[in-house]
Amino acid sequence: MAQFLAATAPYDRAKAVVYGLPMDWTVAYRPGCRLGPDAVREASWGLEEFCPSLGRGMADSAGCDAGDAPLPAGDVEGSLKIVEQAAERFLRDNKFPVFLGGEHLLTLGTVRPFFARYPDLALVQLDAHADLREEYQGRRLSHATVMRRLSEVLPPGSLYQVGVRSATQEEVEYAAALGSLVPGGVLQAMKALLPELARRPLYVSLDIDVADPAFAPGTGSPEPGGPSSAELLEALSLLGRVRLVGFDLVEVAPPYDPSGITAYLAARVVRDVLLLVA
Amino acid sequence: MAQFLAATAPYDRAKAVVYGLPMDWTVAYRPGCRLGPDAVREASWGLEEFCPSLGRGMADSAGCDAGDAPLPAGDVEGSLKIVEQAAERFLRDNKFPVFLGGEHLLTLGTVRPFFARYPDLALVQLDAHADLREEYQGRRLSHATVMRRLSEVLPPGSLYQVGVRSATQEEVEYAAALGSLVPGGVLQAMKALLPELARRPLYVSLDIDVADPAFAPGTGSPEPGGPSSAELLEALSLLGRVRLVGFDLVEVAPPYDPSGITAYLAARVVRDVLLLVA
Amino acid sequence: MAQFLAATAPYDRAKAVVYGLPMDWTVAYRPGCRLGPDAVREASWGLEEFCPSLGRGMADSAGCDAGDAPLPAGDVEGSLKIVEQAAERFLRDNKFPVFLGGEHLLTLGTVRPFFARYPDLALVQLDAHADLREEYQGRRLSHATVMRRLSEVLPPGSLYQVGVRSATQEEVEYAAALGSLVPGGVLQAMKALLPELARRPLYVSLDIDVADPAFAPGTGSPEPGGPSSAELLEALSLLGRVRLVGFDLVEVAPPYDPSGITAYLAARVVRDVLLLVA
Amino acid sequence: MAQFLAATAPYDRAKAVVYGLPMDWTVAYRPGCRLGPDAVREASWGLEEFCPSLGRGMADSAGCDAGDAPLPAGDVEGSLKIVEQAAERFLRDNKFPVFLGGEHLLTLGTVRPFFARYPDLALVQLDAHADLREEYQGRRLSHATVMRRLSEVLPPGSLYQVGVRSATQEEVEYAAALGSLVPGGVLQAMKALLPELARRPLYVSLDIDVADPAFAPGTGSPEPGGPSSAELLEALSLLGRVRLVGFDLVEVAPPYDPSGITAYLAARVVRDVLLLVA
Amino acid sequence: MAQFLAATAPYDRAKAVVYGLPMDWTVAYRPGCRLGPDAVREASWGLEEFCPSLGRGMADSAGCDAGDAPLPAGDVEGSLKIVEQAAERFLRDNKFPVFLGGEHLLTLGTVRPFFARYPDLALVQLDAHADLREEYQGRRLSHATVMRRLSEVLPPGSLYQVGVRSATQEEVEYAAALGSLVPGGVLQAMKALLPELARRPLYVSLDIDVADPAFAPGTGSPEPGGPSSAELLEALSLLGRVRLVGFDLVEVAPPYDPSGITAYLAARVVRDVLLLVA
Amino acid sequence: MAQFLAATAPYDRAKAVVYGLPMDWTVAYRPGCRLGPDAVREASWGLEEFCPSLGRGMADSAGCDAGDAPLPAGDVEGSLKIVEQAAERFLRDNKFPVFLGGEHLLTLGTVRPFFARYPDLALVQLDAHADLREEYQGRRLSHATVMRRLSEVLPPGSLYQVGVRSATQEEVEYAAALGSLVPGGVLQAMKALLPELARRPLYVSLDIDVADPAFAPGTGSPEPGGPSSAELLEALSLLGRVRLVGFDLVEVAPPYDPSGITAYLAARVVRDVLLLVA
């Protein structure tokens, strides 16, 4: 019910649209990321509309918070269909979308229309986990299989996986065949990718668990050993130099973070992205 | 992975079976009851195997903890099918099941085979909510519609709703037509029902939110104004006088209860039921 | 930023107005009730718009959530002035106000215009504390002195204190001179008062700490030994038989209640009051 | 390091002495009651020094907070010896002690000197658990065996167990032989005991878990089904009619109660006891 | 009521004085830093009195914990006056003060007497926020305006802002005119400043939110992207090379940090400062 | 009751054994690490059995989770004896043990048999605290004295202390005489030690508080200023190049970390060690 900080433009006039996707139907261990969108919106009001390091302010962005998608609880296919239709609408209306998850499976719905529109699109996934399993707990549609499903339909060479530090042996082998894993830390990897990414439209999918759990404890699958929030924010600031066409931020699970810092980090990321694309 | 207190008999020799159903795919506001079964098992080890007020001990019950059903996350129909097959197996094997939810929609799966076996079965629902909506958030299968779905297939006069203090106007009218709402507090209602229930086999479905939130804060939809744990336990002790054939306890959501008292109350309920049916 | 459940009528057409007063400048031990209004609004969406025991639904109430008063943080007198002007406006516009605190000192601002309008007004305070100190921590304006300040300007015989179980000796003596303390438990006291109250317009000020801390842990000054939420709700249901003209609910402090049950109880109280005055 | 509310008299002039015993070496499931004394002291400052229902104020009590006993962490026998010596000193100095635990095993140390001094002493234990095991986890000295150990050295007929709702079958049989279990709820039992207790000096040992977990979640072994804080406080107010010579309050474990209400209840109990013996 | 670790010298003999300023009247989003002083004191006892990296021990410092200032809740001007008088007294008595906030507005009171005494004083602010707004929420005295108010009365060139990563566009422009923002990370900035600072008396004001929220989640306005506690402590160790005359640490808000690590970091900072000035 | 991830081999066939030591009898400030072993086991199931950076999988390790030692609560000497016998058995059976504490005093029991077996053993302690006190709170056996006790019986030159940032002056002097403190950060120190360690069998004792509290808030004595989890994991990965013969991980105290990230970090460490020794 809340709105994201300063994203108060009417839909028609807005360049960027914040859209909540409160789904966590396939989360295995620690559910609750369906509560993520509202927590991120609420935390956003603790930030400023201006970013000193980017030197830009929200007033310029003409962002619109379009609320949450009406996702049917417990209906994976139905939810993905709604998500996909929303992405298609934003593309049709020439909006830059920032999708607020919800679980990572959502990216299956958000990203497919972008590949339809931009055949040379690059997809950068920032994530502690590879999400390349063939199936998980008996299901082919899961937060742990989302990049596998995408890899089956995307053009070769379009997926870049950054920050991955958890994967099964099978996932590592599959990723090696794909050539998707970008070595090194998040900032180092993003810097290395920049020349290549600069030539293509780009969609970024950020799983908040890419940050070390100290910086984002409120998530479903904390994986120690990740970057700090400072490093992550610096890496994302590089997106100002590429042609970003879509963004999602997923897996913020407020029940596991009574301090609320995960939502603050997520809100900061979203605000910075809105500033970068304004 | 843990076992319920003293429920260590092999399946073949056990009279009662504890079975976890870790599903919360359709929970609207506060997910997390998929974590309920393990929390209840863990809390159970803080209790004794003997109950002074019932004068019985767990050693007699020969209970078996059969672990959790492998429910596919986010697949409502698939999960219900697995639940229903489990219930059928327990009936076939002549076991008394205690199902540990998980959300209340699970009762749709657990209870149907019992009606197939016992055509004169009575179903007593202890719950703060009527769960009689025609649909909820666009879905006909939901924790908020479960008793409506059951009412459509059960024989008239088989549903007894106890402790309900939250319902829409439509639900109240539907319940009035059904004659399902038992007036008064939980203990008073159970005492009033006893003569009638004593003549039929009985399945009891207990939504932990029937207790006041002070006694069970760890649940998805806290509804103030309910009974104390003392009253609830006394009401359940009356089940020793009827022919109980099945039991489920649902909606324990640990993330919202850092003190853990909800799981202790749930564990106490399960232990007492195991003692009563031993 | 959120709205209270179903309080979506435009101001002009609404009979009742929900208005947040996010102030806790004078709270001594556990601040945080300035966060109360939004927590209560958020929790309200977990309730139904209809109350089975009252037999009424929110659709009838035409309530409006007018947001929060712009109270200047740390400015007690300035805040009280804004509060008082808001109360005057609601009276002028013939609205029934439900003020959501915030600390109890706010009642000094909300209630004075009601006495100006209704000289025979009765003020019922439901509270664990007498709030009758001459001064507190060197200040005459404090959550602990609010009823003393009011007693100095109200007509004799207009203050009724229900549920008080904490007071200094001086407060007890002052209350004895006033004749304000109503003996007995909350429900018993309200029943006893009913004949007397039925003859006068009534303003009710409910400090959530009147409930036992088990039912409302999220408050600044928990005082053990109070009524259950069931007893409190039953006592409030008696207000359907009197001429209620104003209501405030104060001292909900979310930081001390990670389970959120305090906000659910407060939301239930507000919803029931809205139903009663509709 | 904090002091209990108003217990600021010098030791020599004080009638009552508050003394912390921060030990939880034998607690099995949820340790942390060694942190109880300070949490209770801190919460006490949220209360008044006067009790309206008792009609007495702390100024009269001349209480002294003597700090904490220097108990060697992990040394059960050594700790008990220090505790016993402290009790002997308080008896010698003619002080009324209020011992703040810490775990219940401490009562083995506190109560023995009282029986040496008062051969006709009655010991009233308010507790959810019988604590009558012969041994627990291989140890004869444990919070779960404390009353068994005492029963072996106390005169027959001196132990009264009130509020017990958890025990093994062996404990129930042992208690039956002792005749120690007082039937009924806490208030009912205390009322029934009063005539008998009025003839003897009395030591009361209160395990906070005698209250229902809703009212005292911060404890090591929550056992659902107990009395409310209101009932418990009313039962304790009866102690004004007997010759109370010593008191302990044990098993307050703050880590499990983020709301702090357990410490408030304990502080209220201690304050009321100090008022009663002043 | 507690004392800071080893700060047990009598006031007359102490070189340094720890003084609590429990005020948060103007905090906008997450109040509770009025509880900071006691939380920091309590945490300090988990530290050693000696610091291996500084090679110094508290025994040398002859520190005194003078308790808390009696700040009138909700009275901003009155509180600031008391704070200012305390600072004047410490200066008069030749004490080195460590002020424990409370909110950042307190620095307006603490620092002005220091400029009166040391006209060439440098003020170093370590903070995530610039606090240079002209007004905030309609008020000119606020935690968000404190450095603006100071900048209006301090000599030009006396304010150094380190670690700032949140500001409005207006604040950035105002700071540019002032020349107050020190670029780079906290450690880098402090190293760069050192030569300049070494020539002047220095007052340091540390807002704990300068650390990344992972290291200090218990604060009112978490701002991601800050330094680690290791970097912050190293930066502060440089203060051993300058002529430090006063220090404050503000914005520790315990309710938002159930783990308590914020208070541990703050206590460590205070201990190190006490060691440096001993 | 739970098992560690993939440690499901039968004892006879296992190369490595995970063994829980749930003891915290001597913990001074924040008890609860007796709950550590189960929390670490539970968290382990959120990890993968394969580590991409190590390039190894758990399937190879043939680990066995042998459950918890039956340590008598509150009996320090008795517990240490049981621990020592367990270590002897593992040595006799040629198993690599991973001991899960529990408090650090346990290392006194685990490590002595290893020195009996390997006279040239090196003991590397990763810890924020030196643990070299002569006595603590009047006791010679304590988590704060464990390395002092060991230093009295181990051969000179066998103890290496890494990451220590808290110690008394006496401890620093004692360590200087021992030559045990390894200067620099954890990763730097481990790299520097590597050549020396490569020539000897090695036992590593890891106190989780060596990590900065942001990465491991759930511990008894948080000490700010430590390494990140990424640095710690990288330092531990160096153990693949030495002859590791035993490992313990201690001081994980779940009650102080509602987010659970401490247990995830500890589980990750244990998993990596199991992979390294497989």
Side-chain angles (χ1 to χ4, degrees), chain D residues 3-4 6-17 59 61-66:
Chain D
Q3 271 187 311
F4 192 86
T8 55
Y11 181 81
D12 288 350
R13 296 234 307 272
K15 177 162 186 187
V17 176
S61 77
C64 165
D65 187 334

Side-chain angles (χ1 to χ4, degrees), chain F residues 37-63:
Chain F
D38 269 355
V40 175
R41 287 175 174 118
E42 199 177 324
S44 71
W45 294 92
L47 304 176
E48 298 292 352
E49 304 175 15
F50 179 84
C51 178
S53 64
L54 298 177
R56 302 184 186 190
M58 283 284 282
D60 306 324
S61 78

Side-chain angles (χ1 to χ4, degrees), chain E residues 8 24 58 123 127 131 135 142 150 162 168 177 184 194 210 226:
Chain E
T8 54
D24 62 2
M58 284 284 283
L123 168 61
D127 200 330
D131 294 350
E135 65 171 44
S142 158
L150 280 171
V162 172
T168 65
L194 212 58
V210 75

Side-chain angles (χ1 to χ4, degrees), chain F residues 192-206:
Chain F
L193 281 180
L194 212 58
E196 190 171 340
L197 296 179
R199 294 191 297 268
R200 308 163 62 176
L202 181 66
Y203 182 103
V204 171
S205 177
L206 172 66

Side-chain angles (χ1 to χ4, degrees), chain E residues 122-201:
Chain E
L123 168 61
V124 169
Q125 170 202 7
L126 292 131
D127 200 330
H129 307 85
D131 294 350
L132 286 172
R133 287 165 178 269
E134 172 55 27
E135 65 171 44
Y136 188 63
Q137 298 181 331
R139 289 175 58 83
R140 286 173 48 83
L141 291 183
S142 158
H143 66 105
T145 67
V146 57
M147 293 299 152
R148 180 67 165 263
R149 290 296 86 76
L150 280 171
S151 75
E152 293 163 353
V153 298
L154 300 190
S158 52
L159 175 63
Y160 297 87
Q161 299 187 294
V162 172
V164 173
R165 54 192 184 274
S166 171
T168 65
Q169 187 158 3
E170 291 70 25
E171 286 179 288
V172 169
E173 289 161 5
Y174 187 87
L178 271 186
S180 57
L181 287 174
V182 186
V186 162
L187 179 55
Q188 178 192 357
M190 288 300 286
K191 281 181 173 166
L193 281 181
L194 212 58
E196 191 171 341
L197 296 179
R199 293 190 299 269
R200 308 164 62 176

